Protein backbone atom coordinates (compact mmCIF):
# COMPACT_ATOMS: atom_id res chain seq x y z
CA UNK A 1 0.00 0.00 0.00
CA UNK A 2 1.14 3.55 -0.56
CA UNK A 3 0.98 4.21 3.16
CA UNK A 4 3.54 1.48 3.77
CA UNK A 5 6.14 2.97 1.43
CA UNK A 6 9.36 4.32 2.89
CA UNK A 7 9.25 8.03 3.42
CA UNK A 8 10.45 9.84 0.31
CA UNK A 9 11.81 13.36 0.38
CA UNK A 10 12.66 15.41 -2.66
CA UNK A 11 16.32 16.22 -2.24
CA UNK A 12 17.75 17.73 -5.40
CA UNK A 13 20.45 17.32 -6.45
CA UNK A 14 20.77 14.30 -4.17
CA UNK A 15 19.06 11.13 -5.38
CA UNK A 16 16.24 9.56 -3.47
CA UNK A 17 15.90 5.79 -3.16
CA UNK A 18 12.48 4.24 -3.36
CA UNK A 19 11.40 0.67 -3.09
CA UNK A 20 8.07 -0.29 -4.59
CA UNK A 21 6.73 -3.63 -3.43
CA UNK A 22 3.56 -5.57 -4.07
CA UNK A 23 0.22 -3.83 -4.26
CA UNK A 24 1.26 -0.19 -4.28
CA UNK A 25 -0.58 1.16 -7.31
CA UNK A 26 -3.61 0.10 -9.34
CA UNK A 27 -5.31 -1.77 -6.53
CA UNK A 28 -3.46 -4.90 -5.53
CA UNK A 29 -1.13 -4.97 -8.54
CA UNK A 30 1.96 -7.06 -7.83
CA UNK A 31 4.98 -6.62 -10.10
CA UNK A 32 7.99 -7.30 -7.89
CA UNK A 33 10.37 -5.14 -5.88
CA UNK A 34 13.26 -2.92 -6.90
CA UNK A 35 15.24 -0.18 -5.24
CA UNK A 36 16.20 2.52 -7.72
CA UNK A 37 17.60 5.84 -6.45
CA UNK A 38 16.32 8.65 -8.67
CA UNK A 39 15.89 12.39 -8.27
CA UNK A 40 12.23 13.27 -8.56
CA UNK A 41 9.18 14.55 -6.73
CA UNK A 42 7.70 12.20 -4.11
CA UNK A 43 4.38 12.00 -5.96
CA UNK A 44 6.13 10.93 -9.16
CA UNK A 45 8.39 8.29 -7.63
CA UNK A 46 5.88 5.41 -7.34
CA UNK A 47 4.97 5.79 -11.01
CA UNK A 48 8.64 5.82 -11.97
CA UNK A 49 9.34 2.64 -10.02
CA UNK A 50 6.24 1.01 -11.46
CA UNK A 51 7.58 1.85 -14.91
CA UNK A 52 10.90 0.19 -14.09
CA UNK A 53 9.13 -2.94 -12.84
CA UNK A 54 7.07 -3.07 -16.01
CA UNK A 55 10.20 -2.60 -18.13
CA UNK A 56 11.75 -5.65 -16.49
CA UNK A 57 8.66 -7.69 -17.43
CA UNK A 58 8.59 -6.37 -21.02
CA UNK A 59 5.20 -4.72 -20.49
CA UNK A 60 6.50 -1.88 -22.60
CA UNK A 61 3.29 0.02 -23.35
CA UNK A 62 2.25 0.12 -19.70
CA UNK A 63 5.80 1.08 -18.70
CA UNK A 64 5.83 4.05 -21.09
CA UNK A 65 2.48 5.22 -19.68
CA UNK A 66 3.80 5.00 -16.11
CA UNK A 67 6.88 7.04 -16.97
CA UNK A 68 4.74 9.67 -18.71
CA UNK A 69 2.62 9.94 -15.57
CA UNK A 70 5.81 10.53 -13.56
CA UNK A 71 6.80 13.26 -16.03
CA UNK A 72 3.43 14.96 -15.70
CA UNK A 73 3.78 15.00 -11.93
CA UNK A 74 7.37 16.26 -12.14
CA UNK A 75 8.36 17.66 -15.57
CA UNK A 76 11.97 17.86 -14.43
CA UNK A 77 12.21 14.20 -13.44
CA UNK A 78 15.14 13.23 -15.67
CA UNK A 79 15.01 9.49 -15.10
CA UNK A 80 11.33 9.36 -16.05
CA UNK A 81 12.35 10.46 -19.56
CA UNK A 82 15.14 7.89 -19.54
CA UNK A 83 12.60 5.21 -18.63
CA UNK A 84 10.13 6.13 -21.34
CA UNK A 85 12.93 6.16 -23.91
CA UNK A 86 13.98 2.69 -22.73
CA UNK A 87 10.48 1.38 -23.38
CA UNK A 88 11.08 1.78 -27.12
CA UNK A 89 13.89 -0.76 -27.35
CA UNK A 90 13.11 -4.47 -27.02
CA UNK A 91 16.49 -6.26 -27.03
CA UNK A 92 15.30 -9.87 -26.98
CA UNK A 93 12.95 -9.26 -29.89
CA UNK A 94 15.49 -7.19 -31.84
CA UNK A 95 12.98 -4.32 -32.05
CA UNK A 96 13.58 -0.62 -31.65
CA UNK A 97 11.57 2.53 -32.35
CA UNK A 98 14.41 5.01 -32.52
CA UNK A 99 12.16 7.86 -33.69
CA UNK A 100 9.85 7.58 -30.69
CA UNK A 101 12.79 7.27 -28.29
CA UNK A 102 14.57 10.33 -29.65
CA UNK A 103 11.32 12.29 -29.40
CA UNK A 104 11.13 11.46 -25.70
CA UNK A 105 14.70 12.59 -25.10
CA UNK A 106 14.09 15.85 -26.96
CA UNK A 107 11.17 16.56 -24.63
CA UNK A 108 13.67 16.55 -21.78
CA UNK A 109 16.05 18.89 -23.64
CA UNK A 110 16.86 19.48 -27.33
CA UNK A 111 20.47 18.27 -27.20
CA UNK A 112 22.52 15.61 -25.41
CA UNK A 113 24.49 18.35 -23.66
CA UNK A 114 21.29 19.98 -22.51
CA UNK A 115 19.98 16.69 -21.18
CA UNK A 116 23.22 15.99 -19.34
CA UNK A 117 22.99 19.40 -17.72
CA UNK A 118 19.58 18.52 -16.30
CA UNK A 119 20.76 15.31 -14.62
CA UNK A 120 21.42 16.12 -10.96
CA UNK A 121 23.82 13.26 -10.09
CA UNK A 122 26.80 11.56 -11.77
CA UNK A 123 24.97 8.24 -11.68
CA UNK A 124 21.92 9.61 -13.47
CA UNK A 125 24.22 11.22 -16.01
CA UNK A 126 25.65 7.74 -16.57
CA UNK A 127 22.22 6.34 -17.36
CA UNK A 128 21.60 9.23 -19.77
CA UNK A 129 24.96 8.70 -21.47
CA UNK A 130 24.06 5.05 -22.04
CA UNK A 131 20.65 5.82 -23.53
CA UNK A 132 22.20 8.51 -25.77
CA UNK A 133 24.49 5.81 -27.18
CA UNK A 134 21.57 3.41 -27.64
CA UNK A 135 19.68 5.95 -29.73
CA UNK A 136 22.67 7.69 -31.29
CA UNK A 137 24.06 7.48 -34.79
CA UNK A 138 25.02 4.37 -36.75
CA UNK A 139 23.63 0.90 -37.34
CA UNK A 140 21.55 -0.71 -34.61
CA UNK A 141 24.04 -3.54 -34.13
CA UNK A 142 26.85 -1.07 -33.42
CA UNK A 143 24.68 1.02 -31.11
CA UNK A 144 23.64 -2.11 -29.22
CA UNK A 145 27.29 -3.03 -28.72
CA UNK A 146 28.24 0.45 -27.52
CA UNK A 147 25.21 0.56 -25.24
CA UNK A 148 26.17 -2.76 -23.61
CA UNK A 149 29.67 -1.40 -22.99
CA UNK A 150 28.20 1.78 -21.47
CA UNK A 151 26.00 -0.26 -19.13
CA UNK A 152 28.98 -2.38 -18.13
CA UNK A 153 30.89 0.78 -17.17
CA UNK A 154 27.91 2.06 -15.20
CA UNK A 155 27.45 -1.23 -13.35
CA UNK A 156 31.14 -1.29 -12.43
CA UNK A 157 31.05 2.30 -11.24
CA UNK A 158 28.04 1.56 -9.01
CA UNK A 159 28.37 -2.08 -7.89
CA UNK A 160 25.45 -1.80 -5.47
CA UNK A 161 23.09 -0.62 -8.22
CA UNK A 162 21.20 -3.77 -9.14
CA UNK A 163 19.31 -1.92 -11.87
CA UNK A 164 22.52 -1.11 -13.72
CA UNK A 165 23.54 -4.75 -13.50
CA UNK A 166 20.12 -5.99 -14.59
CA UNK A 167 19.97 -3.67 -17.61
CA UNK A 168 23.55 -4.65 -18.46
CA UNK A 169 22.44 -8.30 -18.52
CA UNK A 170 19.55 -7.43 -20.81
CA UNK A 171 21.86 -5.43 -23.07
CA UNK A 172 24.08 -8.50 -23.45
CA UNK A 173 21.08 -10.65 -24.37
CA UNK A 174 20.30 -8.16 -27.12
CA UNK A 175 23.76 -8.18 -28.66
CA UNK A 176 23.03 -11.13 -30.94
CA UNK A 177 20.21 -9.26 -32.69
CA UNK A 178 17.50 -11.70 -31.70
CA UNK A 179 19.58 -14.88 -32.05
CA UNK A 180 21.12 -17.02 -29.33
CA UNK A 181 24.86 -16.67 -28.74
CA UNK A 182 25.54 -19.08 -25.90
CA UNK A 183 28.77 -17.53 -24.49
CA UNK A 184 27.15 -14.08 -24.37
CA UNK A 185 23.99 -15.54 -22.86
CA UNK A 186 26.10 -17.13 -20.12
CA UNK A 187 27.70 -13.75 -19.38
CA UNK A 188 24.22 -12.29 -19.03
CA UNK A 189 23.20 -15.19 -16.80
CA UNK A 190 26.05 -14.50 -14.38
CA UNK A 191 24.89 -10.89 -13.98
CA UNK A 192 21.22 -11.79 -13.69
CA UNK A 193 22.03 -14.50 -11.15
CA UNK A 194 23.77 -11.96 -8.92
CA UNK A 195 20.75 -9.65 -9.12
CA UNK A 196 18.40 -12.53 -8.34
CA UNK A 197 20.54 -13.78 -5.45
CA UNK A 198 20.63 -10.31 -3.88
CA UNK A 199 16.92 -9.62 -4.42
CA UNK A 200 14.71 -12.68 -4.79
CA UNK A 201 11.76 -10.42 -5.65
CA UNK A 202 13.51 -8.68 -8.55
CA UNK A 203 11.56 -9.26 -11.78
CA UNK A 204 14.55 -8.51 -14.00
CA UNK A 205 16.85 -10.90 -12.21
CA UNK A 206 14.44 -13.81 -12.65
CA UNK A 207 13.35 -12.78 -16.15
CA UNK A 208 16.82 -12.43 -17.63
CA UNK A 209 17.94 -15.72 -16.07
CA UNK A 210 15.08 -17.43 -17.88
CA UNK A 211 16.05 -15.86 -21.19
CA UNK A 212 19.66 -16.88 -20.65
CA UNK A 213 18.73 -20.51 -20.05
CA UNK A 214 15.67 -21.17 -22.26
CA UNK A 215 17.11 -23.91 -24.43
CA UNK A 216 16.94 -27.68 -23.72
CA UNK A 217 20.56 -27.92 -22.59
CA UNK A 218 20.49 -25.08 -20.05
CA UNK A 219 16.80 -25.03 -19.08
CA UNK A 220 17.22 -26.92 -15.77
CA UNK A 221 19.43 -24.05 -14.60
CA UNK A 222 16.51 -21.67 -15.06
CA UNK A 223 13.84 -23.69 -13.29
CA UNK A 224 14.21 -21.97 -9.90
CA UNK A 225 13.97 -18.56 -11.55
CA UNK A 226 10.91 -19.67 -13.54
CA UNK A 227 9.13 -20.88 -10.42
CA UNK A 228 10.00 -17.62 -8.68
CA UNK A 229 9.05 -15.26 -11.51
CA UNK A 230 5.45 -16.52 -11.53
CA UNK A 231 5.02 -15.29 -7.95
CA UNK A 232 7.19 -12.16 -8.28
CA UNK A 233 4.99 -10.53 -10.91
CA UNK A 234 1.58 -12.24 -11.05
CA UNK A 235 0.01 -9.09 -12.54
CA UNK A 236 2.37 -8.97 -15.52
CA UNK A 237 1.03 -11.20 -18.28
CA UNK A 238 4.46 -11.55 -19.86
CA UNK A 239 5.93 -12.71 -16.55
CA UNK A 240 3.41 -15.54 -16.32
CA UNK A 241 4.05 -16.59 -19.92
CA UNK A 242 7.82 -16.20 -19.60
CA UNK A 243 8.12 -19.06 -17.15
CA UNK A 244 7.04 -21.39 -19.95
CA UNK A 245 10.25 -20.70 -21.86
CA UNK A 246 11.81 -23.05 -19.32
CA UNK A 247 8.83 -25.40 -19.08
CA UNK A 248 8.64 -25.96 -22.86
CA UNK A 249 12.37 -26.63 -22.99
CA UNK A 250 11.89 -29.31 -20.31
CA UNK A 251 8.65 -30.82 -21.65
CA UNK A 252 6.65 -29.79 -18.56
CA UNK A 253 3.28 -29.51 -20.26
CA UNK A 254 1.02 -29.08 -17.23
CA UNK A 255 3.15 -26.09 -16.22
CA UNK A 256 3.14 -24.71 -19.78
CA UNK A 257 -0.65 -24.82 -19.84
CA UNK A 258 -1.20 -23.40 -16.36
CA UNK A 259 1.22 -20.50 -16.84
CA UNK A 260 -0.16 -19.45 -20.21
CA UNK A 261 -3.72 -19.74 -18.92
CA UNK A 262 -2.70 -17.28 -16.19
CA UNK A 263 -1.09 -14.98 -18.75
CA UNK A 264 -4.21 -14.99 -20.91
CA UNK A 265 -6.35 -14.28 -17.84
CA UNK A 266 -4.24 -11.20 -17.06
CA UNK A 267 -4.67 -10.00 -20.66
CA UNK A 268 -8.41 -10.59 -20.50
CA UNK A 269 -8.72 -8.65 -17.24
CA UNK A 270 -6.82 -5.74 -18.75
CA UNK A 271 -8.94 -5.86 -21.91
CA UNK A 272 -12.13 -6.12 -19.89
CA UNK A 273 -13.37 -9.02 -21.96
CA UNK A 274 -13.05 -12.74 -22.52
CA UNK A 275 -12.12 -14.73 -24.41
CA UNK A 276 -9.01 -13.33 -26.04
CA UNK A 277 -8.34 -15.89 -28.75
CA UNK A 278 -5.26 -14.79 -30.67
CA UNK A 279 -1.85 -13.72 -29.44
CA UNK A 280 1.51 -15.05 -28.39
CA UNK A 281 0.35 -16.53 -25.09
CA UNK A 282 -2.52 -18.41 -26.71
CA UNK A 283 -0.16 -19.72 -29.39
CA UNK A 284 1.96 -21.34 -26.70
CA UNK A 285 -1.13 -22.40 -24.75
CA UNK A 286 -2.50 -24.20 -27.81
CA UNK A 287 0.84 -25.98 -28.20
CA UNK A 288 0.72 -27.06 -24.56
CA UNK A 289 -2.84 -28.33 -24.95
CA UNK A 290 -1.80 -30.36 -27.99
CA UNK A 291 1.10 -31.99 -26.15
CA UNK A 292 -1.43 -33.06 -23.53
CA UNK A 293 -3.81 -34.39 -26.18
CA UNK A 294 -6.41 -31.77 -25.27
CA UNK A 295 -7.47 -31.27 -28.86
CA UNK A 296 -10.90 -29.85 -27.98
CA UNK A 297 -9.30 -27.06 -25.97
CA UNK A 298 -6.75 -26.36 -28.69
CA UNK A 299 -9.45 -26.31 -31.38
CA UNK A 300 -11.48 -23.84 -29.29
CA UNK A 301 -8.49 -21.47 -29.21
CA UNK A 302 -8.07 -21.71 -32.98
CA UNK A 303 -11.76 -20.99 -33.50
CA UNK A 304 -11.68 -18.01 -31.13
CA UNK A 305 -8.61 -16.69 -32.91
CA UNK A 306 -10.33 -17.08 -36.28
CA UNK A 307 -13.24 -15.00 -34.99
CA UNK A 308 -10.83 -12.27 -33.86
CA UNK A 309 -8.88 -12.38 -37.12
CA UNK A 310 -12.12 -11.83 -39.04
CA UNK A 311 -12.50 -8.51 -37.21
CA UNK A 312 -8.86 -7.46 -36.88
CA UNK A 313 -6.40 -8.18 -39.68
CA UNK A 314 -3.56 -7.71 -37.17
CA UNK A 315 -4.49 -11.14 -35.81
CA UNK A 316 -3.97 -12.97 -39.11
CA UNK A 317 -0.42 -14.04 -38.31
CA UNK A 318 -1.47 -15.52 -34.98
CA UNK A 319 -4.20 -17.52 -36.71
CA UNK A 320 -1.73 -18.87 -39.29
CA UNK A 321 0.59 -19.96 -36.47
CA UNK A 322 -2.07 -21.60 -34.30
CA UNK A 323 -3.68 -23.36 -37.25
CA UNK A 324 -0.34 -24.77 -38.44
CA UNK A 325 0.49 -26.04 -34.96
CA UNK A 326 -2.94 -27.62 -34.59
CA UNK A 327 -2.88 -29.42 -37.93
CA UNK A 328 0.71 -30.64 -37.66
CA UNK A 329 0.26 -31.99 -34.14
CA UNK A 330 -3.20 -33.53 -34.62
CA UNK A 331 -2.74 -34.78 -38.16
CA UNK A 332 -6.37 -33.87 -38.91
CA UNK A 333 -5.59 -33.20 -42.55
CA UNK A 334 -9.05 -34.28 -43.71
CA UNK A 335 -10.95 -32.39 -41.04
CA UNK A 336 -12.80 -29.07 -40.98
CA UNK A 337 -9.74 -27.05 -39.95
CA UNK A 338 -7.74 -28.35 -42.91
CA UNK A 339 -10.55 -27.31 -45.25
CA UNK A 340 -10.92 -23.84 -43.74
CA UNK A 341 -9.95 -21.00 -46.07
CA UNK A 342 -7.21 -18.68 -44.83
CA UNK A 343 -7.23 -15.07 -45.99
CA UNK A 344 -3.58 -14.31 -46.71
CA UNK A 345 -4.10 -10.66 -47.73
CA UNK A 346 -3.21 -9.38 -44.27
CA UNK A 347 -0.23 -11.70 -43.77
CA UNK A 348 3.42 -10.78 -44.13
CA UNK A 349 5.86 -12.99 -45.99
CA UNK A 350 6.47 -15.28 -43.05
CA UNK A 351 2.75 -15.73 -42.40
CA UNK A 352 2.15 -16.64 -46.03
CA UNK A 353 5.03 -19.09 -45.86
CA UNK A 354 3.40 -20.75 -42.85
CA UNK A 355 0.08 -21.02 -44.73
CA UNK A 356 1.83 -22.51 -47.80
CA UNK A 357 3.76 -24.98 -45.65
CA UNK A 358 0.58 -26.07 -43.89
CA UNK A 359 -1.29 -26.47 -47.18
CA UNK A 360 1.58 -28.41 -48.72
CA UNK A 361 2.04 -30.76 -45.79
CA UNK A 362 -1.69 -31.35 -45.70
CA UNK A 363 -1.76 -32.19 -49.41
CA UNK A 364 1.19 -34.56 -49.01
CA UNK A 365 -0.52 -36.23 -46.07
CA UNK A 366 -3.49 -37.16 -48.28
CA UNK A 367 -1.14 -38.18 -51.13
CA UNK A 368 -1.87 -35.17 -53.35
CA UNK A 369 1.71 -34.65 -54.47
CA UNK A 370 0.78 -32.19 -57.22
CA UNK A 371 -0.95 -29.76 -54.84
CA UNK A 372 1.87 -30.20 -52.36
CA UNK A 373 4.47 -29.28 -54.99
CA UNK A 374 2.53 -26.15 -55.92
CA UNK A 375 2.64 -25.11 -52.28
CA UNK A 376 6.38 -25.85 -52.14
CA UNK A 377 6.98 -23.66 -55.21
CA UNK A 378 5.11 -20.78 -53.53
CA UNK A 379 7.06 -21.28 -50.33
CA UNK A 380 10.44 -21.36 -52.11
CA UNK A 381 9.66 -18.35 -54.30
CA UNK A 382 9.16 -16.18 -51.25
CA UNK A 383 12.46 -17.03 -49.58
CA UNK A 384 14.54 -14.10 -50.84
CA UNK A 385 11.95 -11.55 -49.72
CA UNK A 386 11.80 -12.78 -46.13
CA UNK A 387 13.71 -11.04 -43.34
CA UNK A 388 17.11 -12.59 -42.79
CA UNK A 389 16.04 -13.87 -39.36
CA UNK A 390 13.19 -15.88 -40.93
CA UNK A 391 14.99 -17.41 -43.89
CA UNK A 392 16.63 -20.28 -42.06
CA UNK A 393 13.40 -21.64 -40.62
CA UNK A 394 11.64 -21.11 -43.95
CA UNK A 395 14.33 -23.27 -45.56
CA UNK A 396 13.79 -25.92 -42.89
CA UNK A 397 10.04 -25.89 -43.64
CA UNK A 398 10.79 -26.22 -47.36
CA UNK A 399 13.05 -29.20 -46.64
CA UNK A 400 10.42 -30.88 -44.48
CA UNK A 401 7.74 -30.34 -47.13
CA UNK A 402 10.08 -31.49 -49.89
CA UNK A 403 10.84 -34.68 -47.99
CA UNK A 404 7.15 -35.39 -47.46
CA UNK A 405 6.47 -34.88 -51.16
CA UNK A 406 9.34 -37.14 -52.26
CA UNK A 407 8.06 -39.87 -49.98
CA UNK A 408 4.54 -39.66 -51.42
CA UNK A 409 6.02 -39.78 -54.93
CA UNK A 410 7.80 -43.01 -54.06
CA UNK A 411 11.34 -41.57 -53.86
CA UNK A 412 11.88 -42.86 -50.37
CA UNK A 413 15.65 -42.74 -50.08
CA UNK A 414 15.66 -39.23 -51.52
CA UNK A 415 12.99 -38.27 -48.99
CA UNK A 416 15.15 -39.47 -46.11
CA UNK A 417 18.13 -37.54 -47.48
CA UNK A 418 16.02 -34.36 -47.83
CA UNK A 419 14.69 -34.66 -44.27
CA UNK A 420 18.22 -35.21 -43.01
CA UNK A 421 19.47 -32.10 -44.81
CA UNK A 422 16.62 -30.08 -43.27
CA UNK A 423 17.57 -31.40 -39.83
CA UNK A 424 21.22 -30.48 -40.34
CA UNK A 425 20.20 -26.98 -41.41
CA UNK A 426 17.97 -26.64 -38.36
CA UNK A 427 20.82 -27.74 -36.11
CA UNK A 428 23.09 -25.07 -37.65
CA UNK A 429 20.66 -22.26 -36.78
CA UNK A 430 20.73 -20.48 -33.42
CA UNK A 431 18.29 -22.29 -31.15
CA UNK A 432 14.88 -20.60 -31.15
CA UNK A 433 13.14 -20.96 -27.80
CA UNK A 434 9.61 -22.26 -27.59
CA UNK A 435 7.52 -24.55 -29.82
CA UNK A 436 9.24 -25.80 -32.98
CA UNK A 437 10.02 -22.77 -35.13
CA UNK A 438 9.43 -24.77 -38.33
CA UNK A 439 6.32 -26.50 -36.91
CA UNK A 440 7.27 -30.05 -37.94
CA UNK A 441 10.73 -30.98 -36.57
CA UNK A 442 12.69 -32.56 -39.43
CA UNK A 443 14.29 -35.29 -37.30
CA UNK A 444 10.83 -36.27 -36.13
CA UNK A 445 9.64 -36.50 -39.73
CA UNK A 446 12.74 -38.47 -40.68
CA UNK A 447 11.99 -40.94 -37.89
CA UNK A 448 8.40 -41.32 -39.09
CA UNK A 449 9.53 -41.95 -42.66
CA UNK A 450 12.14 -44.52 -41.57
CA UNK A 451 9.55 -46.29 -39.47
CA UNK A 452 7.22 -46.42 -42.46
CA UNK A 453 10.10 -47.96 -44.44
CA UNK A 454 10.44 -50.70 -41.80
CA UNK A 455 13.77 -49.38 -40.57
CA UNK A 456 12.90 -49.12 -36.87
CA UNK A 457 16.44 -49.13 -35.48
CA UNK A 458 17.37 -46.14 -37.63
CA UNK A 459 14.08 -44.52 -36.66
CA UNK A 460 14.89 -44.91 -32.96
CA UNK A 461 18.06 -42.89 -33.35
CA UNK A 462 16.25 -40.11 -35.23
CA UNK A 463 13.49 -39.83 -32.67
CA UNK A 464 16.07 -39.70 -29.89
CA UNK A 465 17.79 -36.84 -31.72
CA UNK A 466 14.44 -35.09 -32.15
CA UNK A 467 13.71 -35.34 -28.43
CA UNK A 468 17.01 -33.75 -27.55
CA UNK A 469 15.82 -30.64 -29.39
CA UNK A 470 12.15 -30.87 -28.37
CA UNK A 471 12.12 -32.67 -24.98
CA UNK A 472 8.87 -34.36 -24.08
CA UNK A 473 7.17 -33.63 -27.41
CA UNK A 474 4.32 -36.14 -27.67
CA UNK A 475 4.63 -37.05 -31.36
CA UNK A 476 8.37 -37.65 -30.97
CA UNK A 477 7.82 -39.77 -27.84
CA UNK A 478 5.14 -41.77 -29.61
CA UNK A 479 7.37 -42.27 -32.64
CA UNK A 480 10.24 -43.39 -30.43
CA UNK A 481 8.02 -45.81 -28.56
CA UNK A 482 6.71 -47.39 -31.78
CA UNK A 483 10.15 -47.59 -33.36
CA UNK A 484 11.76 -49.07 -30.25
CA UNK A 485 8.93 -51.59 -29.89
CA UNK A 486 9.36 -52.65 -33.52
CA UNK A 487 13.12 -52.92 -33.02
CA UNK A 488 12.72 -55.03 -29.90
CA UNK A 489 14.26 -52.34 -27.67
CA UNK A 490 11.77 -52.94 -24.86
CA UNK A 491 13.30 -50.70 -22.19
CA UNK A 492 13.42 -47.74 -24.57
CA UNK A 493 9.88 -48.40 -25.79
CA UNK A 494 8.57 -48.75 -22.27
CA UNK A 495 10.15 -45.48 -21.14
CA UNK A 496 8.83 -43.63 -24.19
CA UNK A 497 5.32 -45.05 -23.78
CA UNK A 498 5.40 -44.03 -20.12
CA UNK A 499 6.12 -40.51 -21.32
CA UNK A 500 3.16 -40.69 -23.71
CA UNK A 501 0.87 -41.82 -20.88
CA UNK A 502 2.11 -39.02 -18.67
CA UNK A 503 1.61 -36.42 -21.41
CA UNK A 504 -1.87 -37.64 -22.33
CA UNK A 505 -3.23 -38.11 -18.80
CA UNK A 506 -5.62 -35.17 -19.33
CA UNK A 507 -6.36 -35.83 -23.01
CA UNK A 508 -9.82 -35.01 -24.38
CA UNK A 509 -11.10 -36.89 -26.21
CA UNK A 510 -8.99 -39.89 -25.27
CA UNK A 511 -6.70 -40.54 -28.25
CA UNK A 512 -5.89 -44.01 -29.63
CA UNK A 513 -2.22 -43.39 -28.77
CA UNK A 514 -3.06 -43.47 -25.06
CA UNK A 515 -4.74 -46.86 -25.31
CA UNK A 516 -1.80 -48.07 -27.42
CA UNK A 517 0.68 -46.96 -24.78
CA UNK A 518 -1.27 -48.57 -21.96
CA UNK A 519 -1.55 -51.87 -23.83
CA UNK A 520 2.18 -51.99 -24.45
CA UNK A 521 3.00 -51.17 -20.84
CA UNK A 522 0.57 -53.84 -19.58
CA UNK A 523 2.27 -56.45 -21.76
CA UNK A 524 5.81 -55.31 -21.00
CA UNK A 525 5.78 -54.54 -17.32
CA UNK A 526 9.15 -54.05 -15.66
CA UNK A 527 10.35 -57.39 -14.40
CA UNK A 528 7.97 -59.41 -16.58
CA UNK A 529 9.41 -62.24 -18.69
CA UNK A 530 11.11 -60.82 -21.74
CA UNK A 531 11.27 -57.35 -20.26
CA UNK A 532 14.66 -55.95 -19.22
Amino acid sequence: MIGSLPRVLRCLPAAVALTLAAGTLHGQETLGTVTFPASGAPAAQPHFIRGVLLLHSFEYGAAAAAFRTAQQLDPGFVMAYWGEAMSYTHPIWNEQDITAARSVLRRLAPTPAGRQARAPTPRERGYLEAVEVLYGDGAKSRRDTLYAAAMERLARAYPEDLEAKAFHALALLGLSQGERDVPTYMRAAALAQDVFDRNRDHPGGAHYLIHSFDDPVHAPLGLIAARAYATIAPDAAHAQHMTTHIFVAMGMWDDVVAANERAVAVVERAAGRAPVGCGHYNEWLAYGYLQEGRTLAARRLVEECRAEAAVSTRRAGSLADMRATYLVDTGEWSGAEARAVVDTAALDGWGRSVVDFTAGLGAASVSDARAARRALVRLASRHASLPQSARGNAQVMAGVLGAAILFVEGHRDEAIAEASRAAQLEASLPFAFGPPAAYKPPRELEGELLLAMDRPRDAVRRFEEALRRTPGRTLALLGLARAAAAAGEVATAREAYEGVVQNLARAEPEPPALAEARRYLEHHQAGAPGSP
Side-chain angles (χ1 to χ4, degrees), residues 126-355:
Y127 275 98
L128 275 184
E129 288 173 1
V131 83
E132 297 284 2
V133 168
L134 182 61
Y135 298 121
D137 296 326
K140 180 180 180 296
S141 58
R142 175 168 170 75
R143 289 185 283 107
D144 286 346
T145 300
L146 294 174
Y147 169 70
M151 289 310 302
E152 181 176 16
R153 291 192 298 272
L154 186 66
R156 285 182 176 176
Y158 300 94
E160 298 306 311
D161 185 353
L162 294 188
E163 301 315 294
K165 183 166 288 189
F167 284 115
H168 179 208
L170 180 57
L172 290 175
L173 291 171
L175 282 181
S176 53
Q177 306 295 298
E179 297 181 349
R180 182 179 302 273
D181 176 73
V182 172
T184 303
Y185 270 44
M186 294 306 101
R187 287 178 60 203
L191 297 170
Q193 186 69 61
D194 186 50
V195 173
F196 185 58
D197 288 344
R198 292 163 67 180
N199 177 5
R200 287 285 172 154
D201 201 40
H202 196 293
H207 191 177
Y208 308 148
L209 273 174
I210 293 169
H211 269 300
S212 299
F213 293 142
D214 60 354
D215 67 88
V217 173
H218 300 96
L221 299 174
L223 188 56
I224 291 174
R227 295 287 190 212
Y229 195 26
T231 61
I232 289 170
D235 292 312
H238 186 77
Q240 298 309 301
H241 159 76
M242 188 64 217
T243 63
T244 63
H245 282 228
I246 298 299
F247 302 149
V248 166
M250 297 180 68
M252 300 168 63
W253 307 120
D254 288 349
D255 294 279
V256 169
V257 166
N260 280 298
E261 286 178 337
R262 291 194 302 269
V264 171
V266 174
V267 172
E268 290 177 341
R269 285 199 303 271
R273 67 180 179 89
V276 174
C278 297
H280 185 64
Y281 309 149
N282 268 336
E283 292 163 14
W284 286 49
L285 177 57
Y287 185 72
Y289 282 150
L290 291 166
Q291 301 319 300
E292 293 188 323
R294 296 169 65 183
T295 55
L296 296 179
R299 186 183 309 150
R300 172 177 50 79
L301 288 181
V302 177
E303 291 168 353
E304 290 170 356
C305 185
R306 177 173 287 104
E308 282 191 20
V311 176
S312 173
T313 57
R314 295 186 303 108
R315 298 301 197 177
S318 189
L319 175 60
D321 176 275
M322 292 173 70
R323 180 174 179 271
T325 299
Y326 180 85
L327 289 171
V328 167
D329 281 20
T330 63
E332 294 179 3
W333 297 109
S334 300
E337 188 55 53
R339 294 192 300 272
V341 176
V342 179
D343 182 4
T344 60
L347 292 173
D348 60 11
W350 171 256
R352 294 182 184 189
S353 296
V354 171
V355 170

